Amino acid sequence: MSPASARSPHKNLPVQPADQLSIGTEDLNRAPGGIHPRTVFILLLALGIGVAAELIAQLLMALIGLVTHLSFQGRIGWSLVSPTDTVLGAWIIGVPIIGGLIVGVMARYGSAAIRGHGIPEAMEQVLVNRSRISLRVLFLKPLSAAISIGTGGPFGAEGPIIATGGALGSVVGQWISITPNERKVLLAAGAAAGMAAVFGTPLSAMMLAIELLLFEFSPAALLPVLAACVSAEIVRTLFVGATPFFVMPPLAWPQAPALLACVPLGAVVGLAAVLVTQGVYAVEDAFDHLPVHWMWWPAIGAVAVGLIGWWQPRTLGVGYGNITDALSGNLLGPALWLLGAAKLVSWTIALGSGTSGGTLAPLMTIGACLGAALGHISAVMFPQLGLSPNLAALVGMAAIFAGSSRALFMSVIFALETTWQVAGLLPLLIGCGTAFLVSSLLMRQTIMTEKISRRGLHVPHSYQADPLTQARVSDYASLKPVTLLATQSVAEVRAWLDTHAPGSYHQGYAVVDANGAALGVITRKSLYGADIDATQQLGSLVRDPAVCVNMETTLAEAILKLSAHDIGRLPVIASDGSGRVVGMLTRSDILALWRERLLDQFQRGR
């Protein structure tokens, strides 16, 4: 029982008996998330999904316009108009209620997945359902959203489009033979393309996918998402041309005092983001306690939407014009506070009722109004700061989404892409970063993750380099291996094990030939098998060649081999080409890396 050598690991696959995964050497050597020919195939699919997402976006916009025209003006029209142009008077209260009733019926008898604003539901499918979304959602989500928004629901069209684009990517990924991870990429690509299709913001749409849906940062995931966003944007320009989505006066390049003023501005907006998020889920909890079926909740919530809409008609519908007016300075004084507060209450109740709608446009309406109002206060009380209401509105619009969703970079880039105001870059970074910080300190979950967190799901909040790819086998393997000779008999080894001598307590041993080359791995359990003849030599018990690693192998490669072959240990061979077995790596050895990381975290600063 002495150390021996083994051959190169590249000649020793596959290993273990029976239930192996169908994974070959080339698969094990492929870097996770790396570029390979399969990536091109997924990228081509994503290109088509991006084009389809833009066409669906145009169709949804037209449907929202049709329902709005019919509901508030009693005529047929396809343009996206404001519900404020109506002669219904007090009858306007009933329009959202009728829409809520229809959406509730669609959700109960069609698919409950159409409820909500779409992104948390997509995140949940990624995390627990292998990125599979029902085909029904692909059709019912845009239809229900068109009815909800067209009848005055205080939502933007982008949320349903993001959800529909994600459903499209998922459905395509279920029709063809691809892996769950590739299907996740297509889901994220479709969702991002949906956002780019509405706003013309391909870069921020990519960041939305990265920060909220992909849960990874790899070339194989990013390139298809990029392809979908770009193709959606190219097709979009054929419909609407190339103009900023929110037109506002050019911003002067901010000086140092204005930049410093963005810190308290971001802090106030970040606090507002926390309160808004808590308010949404407080309303949702209140609806959960109603003694009626959830099918009726959207109609009940629509009562508040209708009443507020009668009082403040600008709260009804998509409200993109409200954001433009806040950014441009067309709303002043009490009008800003009233619109922001009324939109907040209307949207919070509507979203909490479980109707079909989104979060992006309502949140940014609230944030833009709050930012503009604070900007006016700053201009009056602290004119020396030079913080213009237009700039404050831009920062508020982005910061409230950064604080409530923690999609920091998406929020900054979105504000730049939708307004073309490059001078806002530094103020946006400062304001959104501050709001992000305040939100992170005061709120554990976000408006996107609270719902699924309550269902017991853990949502990743950070991206870190895999420590397994940085650690080497030589740092964690046991370098004093105990090996068994192939010529030894089972009886001889059993007798040795029963002595409890040093080295006899291991659960598995490398079996080597006379030259020390590894033939395989045998476990203590197999040695004591009832059907084993004690006179047999160990070499006759080895059915498969050994799976080995060398000293320079990363722990990431090692754990791939352990998982692929469903084994618990790997013989370690020398890196000098001699083939000597110089160690043994077990799953417990790999766990030692995580123990070290935990100790580092708890002992930080000591």
Side-chain angles (χ1 to χ4, degrees):
M1 301 167 194
S2 60
S5 62
R7 298 186 183 277
S8 168
H10 301 293
K11 298 179 181 178
N12 290 329
L13 294 174
V15 169
Q16 206 75 346
D19 301 330
Q20 299 185 39
L21 299 175
S22 180
I23 299 177
T25 306
E26 68 280 1
D27 296 302
L28 292 176
N29 292 334
R30 178 188 295 166
I35 299 298
H36 44 81
R38 184 79 176 179
T39 305
V40 178
F41 173 63
I42 300 300
L43 187 149
L44 292 174
L45 289 175
L47 280 171
I49 289 171
V51 173
E54 174 58 38
L55 297 177
I56 293 172
Q58 293 299 323
L59 176 61
L60 177 58
M61 294 289 198
L63 285 175
I64 293 173
L66 175 63
V67 177
T68 304
H69 277 283
L70 290 173
S71 300
F72 292 94
Q73 297 158 6
R75 62 173 182 254
I76 294 178
W78 302 93
S79 59
L80 200 61
V81 296
S82 172
T84 56
D85 184 17
T86 181
V87 294
L88 290 177
W91 290 105
I92 201 174
I93 300 172
V95 176
I97 298 174
I98 295 172
L101 286 170
I102 297 173
V103 171
V105 171
M106 292 177 66
R108 181 171 185 180
Y109 298 105
S111 173
I114 67 174
R115 304 174 69 217
H117 50 98
I119 295 179
E121 290 75 17
M123 295 170 73
E124 184 174 11
Q125 298 310 308
V126 169
L127 291 170
V128 301
N129 198 32
R130 299 164 71 89
S131 304
R132 290 177 295 201
I133 298 177
S134 168
L135 179 63
R136 289 184 178 185
V137 177
L138 180 59
F139 295 98
L140 293 179
K141 185 65 177 181
L143 182 58
S144 64
I147 295 171
S148 175
I149 299 170
T151 55
F155 308 106
E158 71 290 333
I161 285 292
I162 290 171
T164 304
L168 174 64
S170 174
V171 168
V172 170
Q174 293 173 70
W175 283 344
I176 58 179
S177 179
I178 61 176
T179 67
N181 191 67
E182 291 169 336
R183 187 162 55 245
K184 176 193 71 174
V185 171
L186 290 183
L187 185 156
M195 178 176 169
V198 175
F199 293 113
T201 54
L203 184 54
S204 57
M206 275 191 63
M207 295 309 301
L208 177 81
I210 292 170
E211 294 183 292
L212 296 181
L213 290 173
L214 282 175
F215 305 115
E216 67 173 284
F217 193 92
S218 67
L222 295 184
L223 288 177
V225 174
L226 182 151
C229 292
V230 169
S231 63
E233 173 64 8
I234 291 173
V235 178
R236 179 181 181 274
T237 58
L238 300 177
F239 288 98
V240 300
T243 57
F245 194 86
F246 301 124
V247 179
M248 62 181 295
L251 293 173
W253 202 267
Q255 300 303 308
L259 295 177
L260 291 176
C262 289
V263 175
L265 173 61
V268 172
V269 177
L271 178 60
V274 173
L275 296 176
V276 167
T277 302
Q278 293 175 343
V280 166
Y281 286 101
V283 171
E284 189 171 291
D285 291 340
F287 273 98
D288 282 334
H289 290 91
L290 290 180
V292 294
H293 193 277
W294 57 256
M295 180 184 75
W296 304 105
W297 296 355
I300 296 173
V303 174
V305 173
L307 288 170
I308 294 172
W310 183 32
W311 171 51
Q312 290 286 324
R314 298 188 67 146
T315 62
L316 299 172
V318 292
Y320 296 139
N322 297 332
I323 299 176
T324 300
D325 287 342
L327 293 173
S328 303
N330 296 332
L331 289 173
L332 300 173
L336 281 170
W337 293 105
L338 285 176
L339 176 59
K343 187 75 172 184
L344 171 61
V345 176
S346 176
W347 167 72
T348 300
I349 294 174
L351 188 65
S353 72
T355 193
S356 180
T359 60
L360 190 57
L363 274 174
M364 291 190 169
T365 300
I366 297 164
C369 289
L370 176 59
L374 294 174
H376 283 292
I377 293 174
S378 173
V380 173
M381 299 183 64
F382 309 102
Q384 65 274 18
L385 294 177
L387 179 65
S388 70
N390 306 84
L391 178 59
L394 182 66
V395 172
M397 177 187 81
I400 197 165
F401 194 76
S404 58
S405 71
R406 310 269 169 79
L408 172 61
F409 297 113
M410 172 266 164
S411 301
V412 172
I413 299 170
F414 177 86
L416 295 176
E417 285 188 299
T418 52
T419 62
W420 296 10
Q421 299 289 339
V422 180
L425 176 58
L426 273 178
L428 285 167
L429 287 172
I430 295 169
C432 291
T434 305
F436 185 96
L437 174 63
V438 170
S439 168
S440 299
L441 290 173
L442 299 179
M443 184 170 63
R444 183 174 183 181
Q445 299 298 330
T446 72
I447 199 168
M448 303 298 178
T449 64
E450 176 68 24
K451 180 183 294 185
I452 52 181
S453 174
R454 291 181 176 189
R455 297 172 185 165
L457 299 180
H458 171 70
V459 182
H461 291 290
S462 62
Y463 300 97
Q464 301 176 3
D466 184 357
L468 294 174
T469 63
Q470 310 301 317
R472 303 290 172 181
V473 166
S474 57
D475 297 325
Y476 291 90
S478 172
L479 300 183
K480 294 182 179 180
V482 179
T483 59
L484 303 176
L485 292 171
T487 54
Q488 289 181 284
S489 69
V490 172
E492 180 183 354
V493 174
R494 285 177 178 175
W496 174 72
L497 292 174
D498 290 340
T499 65
H500 303 292
S504 64
Y505 49 82
H506 296 304
Q507 298 301 311
Y509 300 88
V511 178
V512 300
D513 62 15
N515 297 319
L519 299 177
V521 173
I522 193 167
T523 64
R524 175 187 290 268
K525 181 179 179 181
S526 61
L527 283 170
Y528 283 96
D531 58 342
I532 300 298
D533 185 351
T535 63
Q536 283 182 273
Q537 292 186 341
L538 296 185
S540 65
L541 300 180
V542 176
R543 297 288 184 265
D544 299 280
V547 181
C548 301
V549 291
N550 59 44
M551 299 285 279
E552 300 306 315
T553 301
T554 66
L555 291 189
E557 296 173 69
I559 203 167
L560 277 175
K561 291 185 176 183
L562 289 172
S563 302
H565 300 285
D566 193 23
I567 54 180
R569 54 198 54 80
L570 296 167
V572 181
I573 62 173
S575 301
D576 58 8
S578 64
R580 293 179 301 106
V581 174
V582 295
M584 182 71 79
L585 181 74
T586 67
R587 285 176 292 200
S588 296
D589 296 327
I590 296 175
L591 287 176
L593 171 65
W594 297 106
R595 288 194 294 271
E596 287 182 5
R597 286 175 60 83
L598 285 174
L599 287 174
D600 288 342
Q601 290 178 8
F602 286 114
Q603 294 177 354
R604 186 175 295 139
R606 295 180 184 175

